[in-house]
Amino acid sequence: MTKPSDLLLLRDKLRVFAEARDWDQFHSPKNLCMALMVEVAEIMEHFQWSTEEQSGNLATENKTAVAEELADVLLYLIRLSDKLDIDLLEAALLKLDKNAVKYPADIVRGSSKKYNEYCPD
Amino acid sequence: MTKPSDLLLLRDKLRVFAEARDWDQFHSPKNLCMALMVEVAEIMEHFQWSTEEQSGNLATENKTAVAEELADVLLYLIRLSDKLDIDLLEAALLKLDKNAVKYPADIVRGSSKKYNEYCPD
Amino acid sequence: MTKPSDLLLLRDKLRVFAEARDWDQFHSPKNLCMALMVEVAEIMEHFQWSTEEQSGNLATENKTAVAEELADVLLYLIRLSDKLDIDLLEAALLKLDKNAVKYPADIVRGSSKKYNEYCPD
Amino acid sequence: MTKPSDLLLLRDKLRVFAEARDWDQFHSPKNLCMALMVEVAEIMEHFQWSTEEQSGNLATENKTAVAEELADVLLYLIRLSDKLDIDLLEAALLKLDKNAVKYPADIVRGSSKKYNEYCPD
């Protein structure tokens, strides 16, 4: 028996969670998108006054807090995708292929100028 | 042979992608968090003037565009977690357990007032 | 004697405030932009689960809290503009003129479809 | 005759603009808050891959673009405040006073550690 997909596993758990609480009524894509944004801002709060270097060296306590915010972002993202009937893994694999074509390694390699010009959007 | 985890599969593809382009140097958690935010805003652009109902009924063309933005959010989220050395699946499962304790179904069930008071953060 | 401009008055107060605390060193445009975003998310938290109608009828307690978040957004926006040496009032007046040309009242008037197509960006 | 307040001047221009286009119907606080967020993200796009130092040295072309995004943020912020019947200048002055009490210059002066602990929220 194969292991189920992480993303589908989480999607299913979120469905059960919302249904048990009758929260589906609040989960319009518009609202979920706002909730997603608010969670990303909670990650950002940890980094807003840090240098780039400090942002890569979180203290253990902060790392635990950030892990929880990252989890919130993933959970709302999966829930939003589910309500829009979008397959997130498929979309991500397609986007990776598209990025590989858009940013050929031999052309964009290295300089920040090139990175800025060609950065993913 | 078991299927590999979706999230780890994408993490590994992103590592190869960044390394081939020498983009690791730009991927501080601070910068990746900003990029993540910008991508969420690109989803939000699709919903800002919609009613909640309209937000759940995207035209096919918009749905394709939104799927791509959702993919970008997932990819930056995975990349950010990787640079912080955080296991995203583990963090999400832990958060789901925590939410189940925090919002007992029989207490929060139903009303939007309760939802607001108890909403996940 | 004419009353000084609101925006310049606030700009000057913020300069004095930062200088007295030696906080100028943290106020790079990159950091201030992140702080601005975090404050907008604090407004968004108040509206994420509301209907559009509810969002226009805040309870007094919430209104006081939202007023404080709006103030934070204005203060960071003014500070960011100052660090970039951009005259915010001039920029706003220019943008209003530009919008008036871009969205002629007789053409865009009324329908949400037109609003979406022509919405300011 | 005293010069009118900048913020009230812009508020009044925005009222006339929305009324002439019958756009008031789309301007719920919930929607305006989303639009505000999207505009802040457009500023953020300019800074996401920059170092802090680069973010303070924009090329002229970028500076013009950023000025326009800053203007959009101000305009949506004023419109949102107006729809919530909140006096933005009054709120900002109150918040400055509150911050002065919360972050006494002689205590928080200097170190980034203190700044992080005491940073405005």
Side-chain angles (χ1 to χ4, degrees):
Chain A
M1 203 185 73
T2 56
K3 202 178 140 199
S5 147
D6 309 340
L7 293 168
L8 297 185
L9 172 77
L10 293 170
R11 181 201 65 185
D12 291 345
K13 282 179 178 284
L14 286 166
R15 282 183 185 177
V16 170
F17 190 91
E19 199 172 326
R21 284 155 187 79
D22 197 16
W23 281 359
D24 220 64
Q25 59 184 309
F26 307 115
H27 287 187
S28 64
K30 185 179 178 93
N31 287 1
L32 289 168
C33 179
M34 294 175 88
L36 177 64
M37 182 62 95
V38 167
E39 295 303 332
V40 174
E42 293 186 5
I43 304 175
M44 194 165 273
E45 257 191 284
H46 288 269
F47 298 126
Q48 62 187 337
W49 306 117
S50 306
T51 63
E52 287 186 55
E53 199 186 338
Q54 288 165 345
S55 77
N57 291 295
L58 292 178
T60 309
E61 190 185 296
N62 287 335
K63 195 174 156 181
T64 307
V66 171
E68 203 168 299
E69 309 300 357
L70 291 168
D72 283 328
V73 173
L74 181 62
L75 294 173
Y76 276 124
L77 179 66
I78 290 172
R79 187 79 183 137
L80 174 57
S81 303
D82 190 22
K83 300 305 285 188
L84 291 167
D85 198 23
I86 286 170
D87 182 320
L88 201 47
L89 178 60
E90 186 186 85
L93 291 170
L94 273 172
K95 192 62 201 296
L96 277 173
D97 286 345
K98 203 169 165 178
N99 283 345
V101 174
K102 196 171 174 189
Y103 312 109
D106 55 337
I107 293 182
V108 302
R109 188 172 172 81
S111 93
S112 107
K113 185 165 177 305
K114 278 182 187 151
Y115 187 73
N116 272 303
E117 275 166 20
Y118 292 107
C119 72
D121 53 32
Chain B
M1 202 185 74
T2 57
K3 204 177 135 195
S5 148
D6 309 340
L7 293 169
L8 297 185
L9 172 77
L10 293 170
R11 181 201 66 185
D12 291 345
K13 282 178 178 285
L14 286 166
R15 283 183 185 177
V16 171
F17 190 91
E19 200 172 325
R21 283 156 188 78
D22 197 16
W23 280 359
D24 219 66
Q25 58 183 309
F26 306 115
H27 287 186
S28 65
K30 186 179 177 94
N31 288 2
L32 288 168
C33 178
M34 294 176 89
L36 178 64
M37 182 62 94
V38 167
E39 295 303 332
V40 174
E42 292 185 7
I43 304 175
M44 194 165 273
E45 257 191 285
H46 289 267
F47 298 127
Q48 62 187 338
W49 306 117
S50 306
T51 62
E52 286 186 57
E53 198 186 338
Q54 288 164 346
S55 78
N57 291 294
L58 292 179
T60 308
E61 189 186 296
N62 287 336
K63 196 174 155 181
T64 307
V66 171
E68 203 168 300
E69 308 301 356
L70 291 168
D72 283 328
V73 173
L74 181 62
L75 295 173
Y76 277 123
L77 179 66
I78 290 172
R79 186 81 182 135
L80 175 56
S81 303
D82 190 22
K83 301 304 284 187
L84 291 167
D85 197 24
I86 286 170
D87 183 319
L88 201 47
L89 177 60
E90 185 185 85
L93 292 171
L94 273 172
K95 192 63 201 295
L96 277 173
D97 286 345
K98 202 169 165 179
N99 283 345
V101 173
K102 196 171 173 189
Y103 313 109
D106 55 337
I107 293 181
V108 302
R109 188 172 173 78
S111 92
S112 106
K113 186 168 177 302
K114 278 182 187 150
Y115 187 72
N116 272 302
E117 278 166 15
Y118 293 105
C119 73
D121 54 29
Chain C
M1 202 186 72
T2 56
K3 202 178 137 196
S5 148
D6 309 340
L7 292 169
L8 296 185
L9 171 78
L10 293 170
R11 181 201 66 184
D12 291 345
K13 283 178 178 283
L14 286 167
R15 283 184 184 175
V16 171
F17 190 91
E19 199 171 326
R21 285 157 187 78
D22 197 17
W23 281 359
D24 219 65
Q25 57 183 310
F26 307 114
H27 287 186
S28 65
K30 185 178 177 94
N31 288 1
L32 288 168
C33 178
M34 294 177 89
L36 178 63
M37 182 62 94
V38 167
E39 294 304 332
V40 174
E42 292 186 6
I43 304 175
M44 194 165 274
E45 257 191 285
H46 289 269
F47 298 126
Q48 62 187 338
W49 306 118
S50 307
T51 62
E52 287 186 56
E53 198 186 340
Q54 287 165 347
S55 77
N57 291 295
L58 292 178
T60 309
E61 190 186 297
N62 287 335
K63 195 173 155 181
T64 307
V66 171
E68 203 168 297
E69 308 301 356
L70 291 168
D72 283 327
V73 173
L74 181 62
L75 295 173
Y76 277 123
L77 179 66
I78 290 172
R79 187 79 183 137
L80 174 57
S81 303
D82 190 21
K83 300 305 285 187
L84 290 168
D85 198 24
I86 287 170
D87 182 319
L88 202 47
L89 177 60
E90 187 187 85
L93 292 170
L94 272 172
K95 192 64 201 296
L96 277 172
D97 286 345
K98 203 169 166 179
N99 283 344
V101 173
K102 196 172 174 187
Y103 313 109
D106 55 338
I107 293 182
V108 302
R109 188 173 173 78
S111 92
S112 104
K113 186 167 178 303
K114 277 181 188 150
Y115 188 72
N116 272 304
E117 278 165 18
Y118 293 106
C119 73
D121 53 31
Chain D
M1 201 187 73
T2 57
K3 202 178 139 197
S5 149
D6 310 340
L7 293 168
L8 297 185
L9 172 77
L10 293 170
R11 181 200 66 183
D12 290 345
K13 283 179 177 285
L14 286 166
R15 284 183 184 176
V16 170
F17 190 91
E19 200 171 327
R21 285 156 188 78
D22 197 17
W23 281 358
D24 219 66
Q25 57 183 311
F26 306 115
H27 287 186
S28 65
K30 185 179 178 95
N31 288 1
L32 288 168
C33 178
M34 294 176 89
L36 177 64
M37 181 62 93
V38 168
E39 294 304 333
V40 174
E42 292 185 7
I43 303 175
M44 193 165 274
E45 257 191 284
H46 289 268
F47 298 126
Q48 61 187 339
W49 305 118
S50 306
T51 62
E52 288 186 54
E53 198 185 339
Q54 288 165 345
S55 77
N57 291 295
L58 293 178
T60 309
E61 190 186 296
N62 287 336
K63 195 173 157 182
T64 308
V66 170
E68 203 168 298
E69 309 300 357
L70 291 168
D72 283 327
V73 173
L74 181 62
L75 295 173
Y76 277 124
L77 179 66
I78 291 172
R79 187 77 182 137
L80 174 57
S81 303
D82 190 21
K83 301 305 284 188
L84 291 168
D85 197 24
I86 286 170
D87 183 320
L88 201 47
L89 178 60
E90 186 187 87
L93 291 169
L94 273 172
K95 192 63 201 293
L96 277 172
D97 286 345
K98 204 170 164 177
N99 283 345
V101 173
K102 196 173 173 187
Y103 312 110
D106 55 339
I107 293 182
V108 302
R109 189 172 172 79
S111 91
S112 106
K113 185 166 178 304
K114 277 182 186 150
Y115 186 72
N116 272 303
E117 276 166 18
Y118 293 106
C119 73
D121 53 32

